[in-house]
Amino acid sequence: MEQINEWGGIAGSLSAIFGLLALILFNPIKRYIQRKREERKKLKEERLKAEQAARDDAAAFRKEMRDAMARIDKTLVTLTDDIGDLQYERLSQAQEFYTAQGWCPGSKKEMLCQMHKSYRAKGRNHLSEHYEEEILKLDSKPRDQQA
């Protein structure tokens, strides 16, 4: 019986030693693991915030680019209209001049046909359709030089 008591005392001492060791070793390890988890969580949150900021910046950039492209498109439409107006004016002047003169050089006919083609490509066609036909019907040289 004494031996059982002695072994019980040893077992109790060993349990106390293991308990103290567990407290001494387990708590720091547990705190270390908890700290590492918190650091990983914090890094993950920071990474998510950085990714969200990058997405926001990209979205803002795309919006800015769309706005800039819309402004450029509006400007191009205005310029195209202005060019169309100038082309019409030039075509009508040329038609008046060359029909009054009675002749038109071949190179000018070709240039005016190209201008009329560009003018039609802009969706404009009013009043100028017959100009090309009239100019093409004109002689390429003055009547007194034709022989």
Side-chain angles (χ1 to χ4, degrees):
M1 194 60 137
E2 275 184 43
Q3 197 171 14
I4 293 178
N5 282 338
E6 211 175 292
W7 285 350
I10 292 173
S13 296
L14 285 175
S15 295
I17 290 172
F18 287 137
L20 286 173
L21 284 176
L23 285 175
I24 292 172
L25 295 177
F26 180 72
N27 283 337
I29 292 172
K30 185 174 124 180
R31 282 193 299 269
Y32 174 78
I33 291 171
Q34 184 64 29
R35 190 173 63 245
K36 286 297 181 182
R37 283 182 185 158
E38 288 173 2
E39 287 174 2
R40 279 195 303 264
K41 184 178 178 182
K42 187 184 243 183
L43 286 173
K44 184 178 178 182
E45 289 172 358
E46 289 174 0
R47 188 176 63 244
L48 289 174
K49 285 180 184 177
E51 288 172 358
Q52 184 61 41
R55 283 192 296 271
D56 292 345
D57 287 347
F61 177 75
R62 286 191 303 273
K63 182 183 181 322
E64 184 179 332
M65 293 310 315
R66 282 191 300 270
D67 292 345
M69 294 300 284
R71 286 191 306 273
I72 290 170
D73 188 46
K74 185 178 178 182
T75 302
L76 286 176
V77 166
T78 303
L79 289 174
T80 300
D81 287 344
D82 291 347
I83 290 170
D85 293 341
L86 292 172
Q87 284 177 321
Y88 174 75
E89 188 62 31
R90 177 63 183 119
L91 288 167
S92 64
Q93 285 176 353
Q95 188 269 345
E96 288 175 21
F97 176 77
Y98 290 116
T99 52
Q101 179 174 295
W103 66 278
C104 180
S107 61
K108 284 291 184 185
K109 286 181 184 181
E110 185 178 336
M111 182 208 62
L112 292 170
C113 287
Q114 287 296 321
M115 185 182 292
H116 190 250
K117 180 180 175 184
S118 170
Y119 182 74
R120 279 191 315 259
K122 290 176 180 61
R124 294 169 163 237
N125 223 11
H126 61 289
L127 303 175
S128 67
E129 193 61 36
H130 68 280
Y131 292 174
E132 183 176 351
E133 295 168 6
E134 290 177 3
I135 289 174
L136 287 175
K137 287 179 185 176
L138 293 173
D139 294 331
S140 294
K141 295 181 180 177
R143 290 186 193 256
D144 58 346
Q145 288 184 4
Q146 292 179 3

